[in-house]
């Protein structure tokens, strides 16, 4: 132990008293698991100081919780209120992330520990689910008293300069003081177990064997001494399966009998039944498979291996959903992860508009079924006394159940069972996810809870995708409206422009271009890119275009136009930078004056000669230094020559050097005499539009065709 981890004597006494209060509350309330959290010095982290009944790996996983995390203990502390969780479905509705992390049926109470008007930490107790739908008055009093006493204990210790702090790992406490047993009693118990044909092992809360009968050792193919003091799955590799370890954890946390079957290394079929108790597990081992007539696992309601796979699959789904940016992407990910596991034949996400249903996305439903859903009333007709609750999941195992609950329901594609899962964010229903089965389906308790937890993930991803889509459309609409709808017709100058937005779902950009008529024989072309990918970038792009137009029509040189625009941007948006390329064409003299503010150099294609990259001596980006100056480069524009101005979306490729990308563009830029510039623009942008694009593309082509009248 490190020196800083050693508590002061007073702190040690305080910790012991805290442990006693925790154990006393667990025993008095009839709970089987309890934990006490203390706030760290920042007041932002809850650290588990002590716990009763939790296996160490689970305790470690929950030993540090941020007060802003969407989990029950954090919410109870942050909002300073007692939270009661009646069971798995209740937990899944209110705290989907916690339900996925602890996929077991249990009831829980979470309460803040307060003293002197300040929060000191949090308190948690767990019971087997189903014992009571509400927290009893007596249990509430015990919890309140324990929290008040612990709060005063922690506060007074802090005032004395001997604060009680949580260690690096929570203290693992016994459920209650146990009197020393007579060693001969253990021998008598072991002798009794050895007479039985089936095998028995006693496991503590951590899964370590404390007693092993001879038949059990024989069935497992080891000696009793090999197992004593060790976890079964550490000694027997064929038991080191997450599904089997999960059955142990389920028995400990849910306090219900669980079972599983597997084959030993010799191929012998073995059945395991786990009977939980206050101090651990009694494990019964019998040869052969679980009999077909035996009752299903009361925790999962089915094959525990499949249920664990389902939970892990949903955890993978949670990671995948973080990348979804459209409603259809959300549904596709859900369908790919959920339909194979739960044998679902069709899914749909419904939203509402104007009191009518709208199908936002679907998979597996026919076009006719989608049309039947679209436009129906949001609130279905229901029997008297059973008002429609859009925030509560509903499960119907067959058509008769659905029709009895909602006589006005429709049956699409001959489906036979349904799960209607509300999508709720911030306490507000935003839609419904429908899962449909082509045959009658009985929803187990585990399945209902997992699907309910799943809807929390879907709702968050769907709302994020919807809001992102709205924001993307607003930014894209703003940007498109600020770009010129058509370029001016200037005799002696052929022009073509193309703008291609980023792939739908990607961030909007700030690319812009413009063509300004300065006189009958002079014109200015502009292209640029505003830093950022949002509405602000699109709006700033409009201001840049306006500023450049104003200074260009005032008669300034190319360098002066950029310098004046730069000073304005420093004042308007000091935290946003803009690249810009300004080219002034003198058609009568067949010259072009080029000035650059950190933008990509133009490429010039000449008849009968290879295209070349123009050296522009680029200055600073606009918006950095108000005193920045911008050099001007003058070059000949012989008749028939074509200059291309572009943004980085045209050439960027992951891992490709920028200089090489520009050289590659020049290598394929070969304008033929008389070739329409619109066709040439399509040829340039086609390679960049094949894959998904993270940036938009702007291209402006200009050809000198001026001849003296």
């Amino acid at each position: 132990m490190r020196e800083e981890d050693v508590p002061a004597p007073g702190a040690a006494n305080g910790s012991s008293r805290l442990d006693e209060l925790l154990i006393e509350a667990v025993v008095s309330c009839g709970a089987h698991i309890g934990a006490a959290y203390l706030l760290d010095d920042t007041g932002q982290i809850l650290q588990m100081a002590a716990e009763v009944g939790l296996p160490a790996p689970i305790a470690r996983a929950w030993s540090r919780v941020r007060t802003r995390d969407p989990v029950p203990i954090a919410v109870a502390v942050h909002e300073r209120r007692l939270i009661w969780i009646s069971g798995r479905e209740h937990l899944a509705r209110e705290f989907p992330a916690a339900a996925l992390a602890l996929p077991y049926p249990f009831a829980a109470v979470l309460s803040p520990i307060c003293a002197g008007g300040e929060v000191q930490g949090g308190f948690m107790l767990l019971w087997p689910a189903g014992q009571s739908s509400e927290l009893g008055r007596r249990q509430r009093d015990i919890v309140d008293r324990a929290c008040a006493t612990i709060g005063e204990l922690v506060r007074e210790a802090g005032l004395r300069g001997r604060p009680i702090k949580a260690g690096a790992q929570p203290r693992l406490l016994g459920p209650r003081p146990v009197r020393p047993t007579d060693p001969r009693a253990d021998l008598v118990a072991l002798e009794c177990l050895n007479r039985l044909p089936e095998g028995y092992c006693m496991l503590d809360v951590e899964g370590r064997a404390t007693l092993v009968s001879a038949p059990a050792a024989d069935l497992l193919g080891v000696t009793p001494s090999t197992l004593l003091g060790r976890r079964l799955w550490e000694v027997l590799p064929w038991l080191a399966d997450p599904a089997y370890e999960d059955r142990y954890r389920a028995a400990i946390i849910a306090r219900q009998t669980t079972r599983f079957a597997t084959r030993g290394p010799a191929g012998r079929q073995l059945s395991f039944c786990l009977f939980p108790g206050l101090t651990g597990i009694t494990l019964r081992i019998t040869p052969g498979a679980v009999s077909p007539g035996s009752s299903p696992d009361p925790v999962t309601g089915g094959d525990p291996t499949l249920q664990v796979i389902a939970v892990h699959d949903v955890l993978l789904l949670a990671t995948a959903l973080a990348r979804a940016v459209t409603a259809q992407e959300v549904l596709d990910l859900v369908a790919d992860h959920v339909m194979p596991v739960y044998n679902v034949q069709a899914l749909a996400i419904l939203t509402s508009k104007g009191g009518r249903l709208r199908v936002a996305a679907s998979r597996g439903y026919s076009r006719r079924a989608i049309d039947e859903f679209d436009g129906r009333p949001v609130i279905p007709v229901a029997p008297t006394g059973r008002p429609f609750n859009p925030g509560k999941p509903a499960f119907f195992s067959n058509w008769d159940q659905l029709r009895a609950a909602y006589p006005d329901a429709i049956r699409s594609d001959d489906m036979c069972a349904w799960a209607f899962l509300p999508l709720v964010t911030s306490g507000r229903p935003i839609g419904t996810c429908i899962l449909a089965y082509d045959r009658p389906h009985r929803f187990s308790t585990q399945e209902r809870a997992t699907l309910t937890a799943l809807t929390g993930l879907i709702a968050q991803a769907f709302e994020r995708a919807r809001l992102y889509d709205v924001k993307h459309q607003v930014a894209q609409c703003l940007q498109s409206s600020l770009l010129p709808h058509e370029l001016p017709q200037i005799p002696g100058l052929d022009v073509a422009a193309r703008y291609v937005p980023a792939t739908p779902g990607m961030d909007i950009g700030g690319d812009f271009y413009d063509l300004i008529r300065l006189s009958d024989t002079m014109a200015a072309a502009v292209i640029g890119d505003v830093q950022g990918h949002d509405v602000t970038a699109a709006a700033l792009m409009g201001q840049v275009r306006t500023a450049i137009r104003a200074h260009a029509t005032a008669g300034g040189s190319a360098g002066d136009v950029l310098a004046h625009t730069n000073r304005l941007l420093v004042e308007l948006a000091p935290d946003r930078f803009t690249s810009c390329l300004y080219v002034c064409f003198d058609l009568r003299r067949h010259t072009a004056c080029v000035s650059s503010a950190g933008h990509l150099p133009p490429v010039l294609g000449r008849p009968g000669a290879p295209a070349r990259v123009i050296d522009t001596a680029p200055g600073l980006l606009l918006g950095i230094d108000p005193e920045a100056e911008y050099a001007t480069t003058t070059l000949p524009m012989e008749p028939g020559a074509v200059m291309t101005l572009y943004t980085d979306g045209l050439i960027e490729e992951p891992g490709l050097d920028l200089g090489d990308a520009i050289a590659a563009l020049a290598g394929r830029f070969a304008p033929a005499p008389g070739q329409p510039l619109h066709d040439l623009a399509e040829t340039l942008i086609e390679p960049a539009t094949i894959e998904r694009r993270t940036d938009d593309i702007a291209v402006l082509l200009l050809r000198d065709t001026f001849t003296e009248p």
Side-chain angles (χ1 to χ4, degrees), residues 14-35:
S15 297
S16 299
R17 179 57 180 152
L18 184 151
D19 297 347
E20 293 172 2
L21 291 169
L22 173 60
I23 293 173
E24 181 181 338
V26 170
V27 174
S28 300
C29 284
H32 66 291
I33 290 174

Side-chain angles (χ1 to χ4, degrees), residues 160-490:
R160 293 196 303 269
R162 297 177 178 178
I164 302 173
K165 294 183 178 294
Q169 298 295 336
R171 296 184 297 279
L172 310 182
L173 312 177
R176 60 161 60 102
V178 179
R179 291 180 301 172
T181 59
D182 187 342
R184 291 175 297 179
D186 290 340
L187 293 176
V188 171
L190 183 59
E191 185 178 352
C192 291
L193 294 176
N194 285 340
R195 296 170 187 164
L196 301 176
E198 60 267 22
Y200 287 90
C201 294
M202 308 302 175
L203 311 178
D204 64 14
V205 171
E206 298 301 322
R208 293 183 291 260
T210 58
L211 186 147
V212 181
S213 71
D218 181 61
L219 289 169
L220 297 174
V222 295
T223 62
S225 60
T226 305
L227 292 177
L228 288 174
R230 303 180 65 186
R231 296 178 176 88
L232 263 63
W233 48 86
E234 294 176 346
V235 179
L236 306 170
W238 48 277
L239 282 180
D241 186 301
Y244 307 149
E245 185 177 349
D246 180 78
R247 293 303 79 221
Y248 177 80
R249 294 187 177 192
I252 286 289
I253 295 175
R255 199 78 180 276
Q256 294 185 15
T257 301
T258 60
R259 48 179 64 84
F260 65 89
T262 187
R263 291 186 181 276
R268 188 179 189 182
Q269 187 81 24
L270 297 175
S271 297
F272 295 79
C273 193
L274 295 84
F275 301 93
L278 192 61
T279 59
I281 293 286
T282 297
L283 175 64
R284 184 181 67 195
I285 309 169
T286 55
V290 178
S291 62
S294 63
S295 60
D297 191 319
V299 172
T300 64
D303 183 349
T305 303
L306 290 179
Q307 296 299 337
V308 175
I309 291 173
V311 170
H312 285 280
D313 197 62
V314 172
L315 291 175
L316 291 176
L317 172 62
T319 303
L321 283 175
R323 301 190 298 271
V325 293
T326 68
Q328 188 63 49
E329 283 185 1
V330 170
L331 184 130
D332 288 342
L333 286 168
V334 173
D336 292 343
H337 286 75
V338 173
M339 291 179 77
V341 175
Y342 291 97
N343 195 27
V344 175
Q345 278 68 54
L347 282 89
I349 293 180
L350 306 183
T351 58
S352 63
K353 186 176 182 180
R356 298 284 173 175
L357 291 174
R358 294 290 180 262
V359 179
S362 68
R363 167 83 72 86
Y365 273 116
S366 67
R367 182 70 253 177
R368 179 181 61 84
I370 294 173
D371 291 340
E372 287 176 343
F373 277 120
D374 241 359
R376 288 180 63 83
V378 171
I379 303 179
V381 178
T384 304
R386 294 184 59 184
F388 176 70
N389 185 348
K392 185 176 181 180
F395 301 90
F396 302 97
S397 298
N398 52 58
W399 168 240
D400 290 338
Q401 285 185 10
L402 178 58
R403 185 171 52 183
Y406 299 102
D408 196 41
I410 58 175
R411 187 177 188 181
S412 302
D413 293 346
D414 295 323
M415 293 296 169
C416 297
W418 299 264
F420 294 88
L421 308 171
L423 305 179
V424 180
T425 61
S426 302
R428 177 177 59 89
I430 61 171
T432 301
C433 179
I434 298 178
L435 278 62
Y437 303 74
D438 62 0
R439 62 190 63 188
H441 180 83
R442 188 182 74 84
F443 295 91
S444 67
T445 302
Q446 167 73 16
E447 192 173 14
R448 290 173 182 241
T450 303
L451 291 176
T452 302
L454 173 67
T455 58
L457 298 174
I458 300 174
Q460 294 171 11
F462 180 70
E463 179 72 350
R464 185 174 62 249
R466 188 186 68 82
L467 294 175
Y468 185 89
D469 187 53
V470 170
K471 178 181 177 182
H472 183 84
Q473 289 181 10
V474 169
Q476 193 175 78
C477 180
L478 176 61
Q479 183 180 26
S480 298
S481 66
L482 292 174
L483 291 173
H485 295 289
E486 59 181 31
L487 298 175
Q489 298 293 322
I490 301 176

Side-chain angles (χ1 to χ4, degrees), residues 531-532 536 540 569-578 622-624:
Q531 179 191 35
T536 303
L540 185 59
L569 284 186
V570 171
E571 297 177 2
L572 285 177
D575 58 340
R576 297 272 181 152
F577 310 133
T578 302
L622 303 179
I624 296 179

